[in-house]
Amino acid sequence: MNIEDSIAKGESQLLSFISSYKPGKSRKSWKFRLKKSAELCEEIAESLCGMANSEGGTVLVGVEKDGDVVGVNYSEDKIVNIFDHSEKFLIPRQEVRFAIEESRGKRFLKIEVEKSPVPVKLQDGRYLIRFWKKNYPVTASDLLSLRKGKMKVFHEREFIEEAALSDLDYPLIERLCTRVGWKEDPVKLLHDRYRLIDFKGEKAMVTRAAMLLFATDQQRWNPGGGIDFMKFISHAATVGKRESVAERMRINLPILNLIDASFEKLKMHIKEREKFHDLFMVEKYEYPTSAWQEALLNAIAHRDYSIHGSPIEVRVYEDRLEIRSPGLLPEPYSLSEIAAGERSHLSRNPVIATVLSDCGYIGERGGGIRRIHEDMEDNNLASPEFKEEGFMFCITLKNTPVFDEKTQEWLQRFSSYKLNNRQKRVLAWAYNHGNRFSNRDYQTLGKVDRDIAYREILDMERMKIVAPSAHGKYRISETKP
C-alpha cells in the first residue's frame, strides 16, 4: 500500500497524523502559526510511545486529521532536530526510522516505530498505549498486565499477528453488510466503521474481535470457546455421576453464526406450559422467549474472551435454566445493582456489542437485564437470580410460578378486569396474608413510590375490588367481581 492510499484510509491505531501548524481559522495564515519544534516533538513522542507499547506504527507529520497534506515548512536543520528530539523523549530509547516524503507537492515527515518488548515511557514519566486514534495513559503495572493477558479492557481490540483476512468468513461479512445497509467494499466496512482491521504497510492486521465474529476456524483462534449445552435429568447436577447429564453438546462458531445456532438449540429444550399459561403469561412456554434469549445474548456479547479454554455453559434442569459466562462483572457494576434490574452501559467488549447492536441482536444499550426482570415478572415467574462463582457469572431463570396453584385459581376471578401486574401481584399477596394490604406493602411488592401506589390502589377501589379498612389498610372486597 503506497503512502497516498494510507493517508486516504485515515488515522488508525497504526497510523497517526500530526499537523505542523497550530489551529486557526484561516489556512492562509499558516506560515504565522507554525508550531515550535519542541511542541511538535512532544506530540510526535506521545504517538510513538503509544505505538511502541501497542503494535508499533507510523506517524506522519505535516498531515491534518482530515488527511489534508499541508506539509512541513521547517529548515533542514530543524527537521533533523525534530527527528533527534522525538526519539530522545522515549525511555528506553527506541529504534525509530525517519524519512522525508512528498505528496501533492508538499513535504512531510514519516516516522516509524516497532512494538517494544518492554514498556516505554515519556521523559515526564507517563506510559501511553495506542488504541485506534487515541493514546491512552496507563500505569506500568497495567501495561504489564495487558501484555500478560490479565488486563481485559482492550482485549478485543488487540491484533493477532498470525491472523489474516483470508481467515475470515467472507460470505458472513457480506451478510453483515446486508444487515447494516453497507453498499461499499466489505473490507472497508470492517476498517472504516468498526475498526476490526487495520493496515501496517501492505499487511492487513486483524483484531481479536474480528476473529471472534467472523473466523471460520474458531477452534484454532478461540480454542475451548463457544457454548457448552448440558441437559440434566434431575433438578440439580449430581457431582461425579455422568448419568445425571442426559445430553451434552458443544457449539463453537463465529459469533454471528453462534447466536442463531444457540437459539435454535436451546429452544428445543424449552417446554410448553401445562397450566395457567393464560392468566399472566404472554406465551405458552416455561420461560419467556425474550428473557432466555436476552440472557444468552448477554453471555455471548459480554463474556471475558481473554479467558481461553472456557466456554459459555447453558445448563437445562427440570426446574430452572442456568447460563454461566466466563468473567466476573466489570467494575463498578455490582451484583446488588444487577439484581435490582438497574441499567448498565458498561460493556467488556464494546466493539463486538456495537456490531451485534447494528445487526439487531442487541436493543437499547444497558436495558437487557432490566428486560429480563420485566419479562419474568410479566409471566408470573420468580425474578432472575445472579451470582458469581469462581471466574464465572451466572444467571438463573426458574420456571416455577411465584404463586401456588390455589392462589392462581383464586386470581382467575379478576381476569376480566384491566389490572396491571403490580395490582395482580398485591391481590395475590393479600390473599395469602389475611386479605389485607397497606400502601407500604404495595410499594414494596410493586417497587414503586407512594404516589403511584396510591393511584393504582384507588383504581382498584373504583372497580370495587378493594375497599379501605382499619389502620390505613385495604381489604379485598367481600363482593365477588
Side-chain angles (χ1 to χ4, degrees):
M1 184 183 300
N2 61 40
I3 197 68
E4 292 283 355
D5 291 338
S6 296
I7 293 173
K9 285 185 175 295
E11 273 195 305
S12 67
Q13 181 167 327
L14 302 173
L15 186 63
S16 174
F17 298 160
I18 296 179
S19 176
S20 55
Y21 296 94
K22 295 179 181 180
K25 294 182 179 179
S26 174
R27 293 194 175 185
K28 293 179 181 179
S29 63
W30 275 357
K31 64 181 180 180
F32 302 111
R33 297 186 289 106
L34 199 64
K35 290 178 182 175
K36 294 181 179 179
S37 60
E39 178 185 356
L40 191 60
C41 288
E42 288 183 12
E43 287 188 51
I44 296 169
E46 287 183 354
S47 284
L48 292 176
C49 180
M51 290 174 170
N53 285 327
S54 184
E55 300 294 332
T58 302
V59 178
L60 300 182
V61 182
V63 181
E64 297 292 304
K65 295 299 183 184
D66 60 4
D68 187 14
V69 179
V70 296
V72 289
N73 190 24
Y74 296 101
S75 66
E76 299 298 327
D77 289 343
K78 280 278 189 181
I79 290 176
V80 171
N81 187 58
I82 290 170
F83 285 166
D84 187 41
H85 281 78
S86 299
E87 188 177 16
K88 287 180 179 179
F89 268 100
L90 305 177
I91 303 173
R93 191 162 178 167
Q94 301 298 296
E95 291 187 9
V96 179
R97 296 187 297 275
F98 299 99
I100 300 176
E101 302 278 349
E102 185 171 322
S103 176
R104 307 168 200 177
K106 301 286 182 65
R107 290 194 314 168
F108 63 92
L109 313 180
K110 178 181 177 183
I111 310 173
E112 296 177 298
V113 67
E114 296 296 327
K115 178 178 180 178
S116 172
V118 298
V120 177
K121 65 180 179 180
L122 298 170
Q123 282 186 335
D124 59 13
R126 287 181 297 150
Y127 290 88
L128 301 176
I129 188 165
R130 187 171 179 85
F131 281 99
W132 300 124
K133 300 180 182 181
K134 294 184 178 180
N135 303 303
Y136 295 90
V138 294
T139 65
S141 60
D142 282 346
L143 188 55
L144 289 171
S145 295
L146 178 63
R147 294 191 171 202
K148 292 178 181 178
K150 295 180 180 179
M151 188 176 175
K152 319 298 183 185
V153 66
F154 293 125
H155 182 76
E156 66 168 354
R157 301 187 183 190
E158 291 177 355
F159 293 107
I160 301 178
E161 189 68 31
E162 303 84 5
L165 286 177
S166 58
D167 293 309
L168 305 181
D169 185 337
Y170 200 81
L172 187 57
I173 298 172
E174 290 182 321
R175 277 170 46 198
L176 171 65
C177 292
T178 300
R179 296 188 74 161
V180 302
W182 185 265
K183 304 296 185 181
E184 301 179 52
D185 180 4
V187 174
K188 189 175 177 63
L189 173 71
L190 301 187
H191 178 270
D192 291 4
R193 178 182 289 192
Y194 298 119
R195 299 298 185 184
L196 289 165
I197 64 171
D198 208 339
F199 292 91
K200 192 174 186 178
E202 297 290 336
K203 179 178 173 56
M205 303 290 288
V206 185
T207 62
R208 294 187 184 278
M211 301 305 288
L212 289 164
L213 287 162
F214 305 110
T216 53
D217 187 357
Q218 286 293 309
Q219 188 56 38
R220 176 185 177 189
W221 304 107
N222 184 27
I227 298 179
D228 201 358
F229 284 90
M230 288 170 279
K231 168 69 176 178
F232 291 90
I233 298 173
S234 61
H235 283 56
T238 306
V239 178
K241 293 186 178 182
R242 293 184 179 179
E243 60 269 23
S244 65
V245 180
E247 180 184 353
R248 186 165 192 165
M249 178 181 179
R250 173 72 63 82
I251 300 178
N252 198 7
L253 297 169
I255 288 175
L256 289 181
N257 284 335
L258 179 66
I259 293 173
D260 292 334
S262 61
F263 280 1
E264 286 300 314
K265 179 61 181 175
L266 185 50
K267 184 178 180 181
M268 295 168 55
H269 296 287
I270 305 297
K271 296 184 294 186
E272 292 189 10
R273 294 182 181 276
E274 296 179 356
K275 298 179 181 180
F276 301 111
H277 61 263
D278 59 340
L279 181 58
F280 292 120
M281 317 301 173
V282 295
E283 58 181 318
K284 60 183 179 179
Y285 298 104
E286 59 181 339
Y287 305 103
T289 300
S290 54
W292 65 258
Q293 287 187 347
E294 189 68 49
L296 192 50
L297 267 173
N298 188 76
I300 294 171
H302 305 303
R303 67 152 288 176
D304 187 344
Y305 284 101
S306 71
I307 300 176
H308 299 292
S310 296
I312 295 167
E313 295 179 3
V314 177
R315 301 183 176 191
V316 182
Y317 301 95
E318 290 297 321
D319 62 340
R320 69 189 187 280
L321 170 66
E322 292 183 4
I323 298 178
R324 302 164 61 85
S325 177
L328 305 180
L329 286 173
E331 296 181 354
Y333 209 38
S334 66
L335 279 174
S336 60
E337 290 173 325
I338 202 171
E342 293 187 18
R343 184 186 301 272
S344 170
H345 294 283
L346 295 173
S347 176
R348 183 180 280 112
N349 310 301
V351 176
I352 291 174
T354 297
V355 174
L356 297 185
S357 177
D358 288 353
C359 287
Y361 287 113
I362 296 178
E364 181 185 4
R365 285 291 185 91
I369 295 299
R370 178 175 52 80
R371 284 191 293 273
I372 296 173
H373 277 274
E374 292 173 351
D375 291 338
M376 295 296 284
E377 181 178 332
D378 289 346
N379 284 269
N380 190 32
L381 296 171
S383 296
E385 296 178 0
F386 306 92
K387 60 183 176 181
E388 293 176 325
E389 291 184 346
F391 62 91
M392 305 284 279
F393 173 74
C394 178
I395 176 171
T396 301
L397 306 180
K398 294 183 177 180
N399 58 26
T400 307
V402 174
F403 308 123
D404 59 27
E405 188 171 321
K406 182 181 177 182
T407 302
Q408 294 191 63
E409 288 177 345
W410 177 82
L411 279 170
Q412 289 282 7
R413 63 168 61 191
F414 304 107
S415 60
S416 63
Y417 286 81
K418 292 183 178 180
L419 299 175
N420 63 34
N421 287 303
R422 288 188 294 270
Q423 292 167 321
K424 294 173 184 177
R425 189 174 294 272
V426 79
L427 288 173
W429 183 88
Y431 175 74
N432 290 283
H433 292 80
N435 285 335
R436 282 170 170 74
F437 67 94
S438 66
N439 185 290
R440 185 173 293 278
D441 293 330
Y442 198 103
Q443 293 175 53
T444 302
L445 291 165
K447 298 178 181 178
V448 293
D449 61 31
R450 181 175 177 274
D451 293 338
I452 292 176
Y454 174 76
R455 288 198 300 270
E456 295 185 354
I457 293 170
L458 186 60
D459 285 340
M460 289 194 289
E461 279 192 71
R462 290 174 181 145
M463 288 183 274
K464 298 183 179 181
I465 294 173
V466 303
S469 181
H471 308 295
K473 288 185 178 289
Y474 299 86
R475 62 176 174 81
I476 298 174
S477 176
E478 297 294 333
T479 304
K480 290 186 178 181

